[in-house]
Amino acid sequence: MPAFPHSTTSTVTAIAVPPSLSLPVIEAAFPRQLHPYWPRLQEKTRTWLLEKRLMPADKVEEYADRLCYTDLMAGYYLGAPDEVLQAIADYSAWFFVWDDRHDRDIVHRRPESWRRLRFRLHAALDAPEEHLHHRDPLVAGFADSMVRLYSFLPGTWNARFARHFHAVIEAYDEEFRNRTEGTVPTVEEYLRLRRLTFAHWIWTDLLEASAGVELPDRVRKHPAYRRAALLSQEFAAWYNDLCSLPKEIAGDEVHNLGISLITHEGLTLEEAVAEVRRRVENCVCEFLVAERGAVLLADSLADGTVHGKELSAAARVCVSNMRNWFSTVYWFHHESGRYMVDSWDDRSTPPYVNNEAAGEK
């Protein structure tokens, strides 16, 4: 089956998206694109998951392709060199496996397992070469990803990426505490936490790696660029909440915008779904405005110098790929087996996870 069997041509029947999750503006105004390296990407990431022992062989065989992790990255980082896209895709697959380990450590009440992993990831982030052969496959796989990602751009980019991911690890720890204590964050607390657990600035940093240029602060921190980047990520996080609400209610989750609205704003389930959907749709509309400002900023960087021309082109690539995030995230949620809760034997236990603690032998 092709990676994007839907909406890539007018002759192929599109996937049936439930009305409550359908966003006609995405299907009409955000056409899907796919990096030409995708078939090889899928094959190599599958092999990497096996080599790094991040998923059991039987689960890789049965679920890896259907989880569509490589499709998500191949639809986002258009224009990236093959080597860069492969490193990003492997890292993304690792991130999903890490998210699943975190979830299982909570469900099976393994706080010590999580604590050890948390500190090991912090250490591997700062010195990945020293953790390439760690006994916990999740730490070793992370270290391998970091060595590769750190090789593409200058040390200043690496330091920024590390700073952003240290914050993500700590946000996962905050989520661990909330879930084990049954604490549902308020809407504002949740929105702050979500920007970290969804790793907004990590995926935005990687736009620069895919463009091959580290953008200076005057571009990255410019309100037009930052606004467009934030909206693309907020859309993804909140659309994820909309699609995963049944899965997370089944799993006794406490981190979902809908759950915070129900708990702290007194909304019914139906009202919460409508409110999350409204926010998602607003992200799309506001991005279309912010995108124009970000493109104008990119154009203004071409000052007649070679450096200005290169910087302008790189910024344009980054803004263009922010747009790609909308369509790739949208279709990922309707194609990936990660969200097909109704097909699971146990709605609270994903069939593709390993329920055992790891790295302790």
Side-chain angles (χ1 to χ4, degrees):
M1 178 181 292
F4 294 149
H6 328 294
S7 75
T8 51
T9 73
S10 59
T11 59
V12 179
T13 302
I15 191 170
V17 178
S20 62
L21 303 177
S22 175
L23 297 174
V25 65
I26 297 295
E27 298 179 28
F30 292 77
R32 299 181 83 180
Q33 301 184 69
L34 178 66
H35 197 292
Y37 182 65
W38 175 79
R40 183 72 174 139
L41 184 73
Q42 185 183 55
E43 175 188 340
K44 292 192 73 173
T45 294
R46 190 190 317 120
T47 299
W48 185 79
L49 287 168
L50 283 170
E51 289 178 348
K52 299 301 176 184
R53 298 179 293 120
L54 290 168
M55 291 176 67
D58 60 332
K59 293 190 184 294
V60 171
E61 175 68 25
E62 186 170 359
Y63 297 108
D65 289 354
R66 283 191 282 161
L67 289 170
C68 301
Y69 297 158
T70 55
D71 303 43
L72 184 64
M73 296 297 107
Y76 186 16
Y77 296 103
L78 273 292
D82 293 354
E83 179 187 19
V84 175
L85 183 62
Q86 187 66 63
I88 292 173
D90 291 349
Y91 166 73
S92 172
W94 173 88
F95 201 112
F96 281 111
V97 175
W98 175 49
D99 186 74
D100 291 334
R101 168 87 74 81
H102 177 260
D103 176 71
R104 294 297 94 185
D105 279 348
I106 294 168
V107 170
H108 294 289
R109 301 188 179 281
R110 300 191 296 239
E112 285 303 309
S113 173
W114 163 248
R115 186 187 64 81
R116 282 189 291 268
L117 178 59
R118 170 190 167 202
F119 290 123
R120 288 167 179 171
L121 292 180
H122 278 305
L125 185 57
D126 289 334
E129 295 87 353
E130 298 176 12
H131 295 78
L132 290 171
H133 304 290
H134 197 281
R135 65 180 179 274
D136 185 339
L138 204 64
V139 177
F142 178 64
D144 179 79
S145 291
M146 290 303 98
V147 167
R148 293 155 68 195
L149 291 177
Y150 284 166
S151 71
F152 301 125
L153 291 177
T156 47
W157 183 93
N158 296 347
R160 185 198 339 143
F161 185 96
R163 184 172 67 253
H164 286 161
F165 201 75
H166 279 304
V168 170
I169 296 169
E170 287 306 290
Y172 264 68
D173 187 55
E174 182 178 345
E175 183 175 294
F176 191 100
R177 293 195 305 273
N178 285 345
R179 286 184 62 187
T180 54
E181 296 168 4
T183 301
V184 177
T186 67
V187 172
E188 289 307 312
E189 289 170 341
Y190 174 75
L191 295 179
R192 173 194 59 78
L193 184 61
R194 185 59 160 153
R195 286 170 183 159
L196 292 169
T197 58
F198 199 81
H200 281 23
W201 302 116
I202 293 298
W203 307 118
T204 303
D205 288 338
L206 289 169
L207 289 172
E208 296 167 62
S210 70
V213 174
E214 181 185 19
L215 298 178
D217 284 356
R218 64 188 174 90
V219 177
R220 288 190 302 104
K221 295 184 178 180
H222 191 286
Y225 184 91
R226 194 168 179 84
R227 178 69 173 159
L230 179 61
L231 285 166
S232 72
Q233 293 297 324
E234 297 281 55
F235 165 82
W238 298 346
Y239 192 69
N240 175 269
D241 280 2
L242 190 64
C243 294
S244 63
L245 187 56
K247 167 178 174 276
E248 293 180 343
I249 289 177
D252 293 323
E253 253 283 11
V254 297
H255 293 96
N256 186 292
L257 180 54
I259 293 172
S260 288
L261 288 165
I262 291 168
T263 303
H264 294 287
E265 304 294 331
L267 274 59
T268 64
L269 175 59
E270 293 74 16
E271 290 169 340
V273 168
E275 174 59 16
V276 176
R277 181 184 174 91
R278 183 190 69 78
R279 291 181 184 232
V280 166
E281 290 173 336
N282 282 350
C283 275
V284 180
C285 296
E286 291 175 19
F287 174 81
L288 293 172
V289 175
E291 179 186 35
R292 292 195 289 271
V295 169
L296 288 174
L297 170 65
D299 289 345
S300 73
L301 300 173
D303 57 6
T305 66
V306 172
H307 175 69
K309 182 179 180 181
E310 292 176 347
L311 191 58
S312 175
R316 264 190 163 273
V317 167
C318 291
V319 175
S320 175
N321 281 337
M322 290 174 195
R323 163 176 276 270
N324 289 333
W325 195 221
F326 285 83
S327 58
T328 195
V329 162
Y330 179 76
W331 291 110
F332 169 71
H333 281 85
H334 302 298
E335 295 169 353
S336 174
R338 192 173 181 87
Y339 304 99
M340 297 180 182
V341 182
D342 290 339
S343 67
W344 301 353
D345 292 336
D346 178 353
R347 288 170 61 88
S348 66
T349 304
Y352 48 82
V353 300
N354 179 4
N355 280 300
E356 298 176 0
E360 307 308 321
K361 295 179 180 180

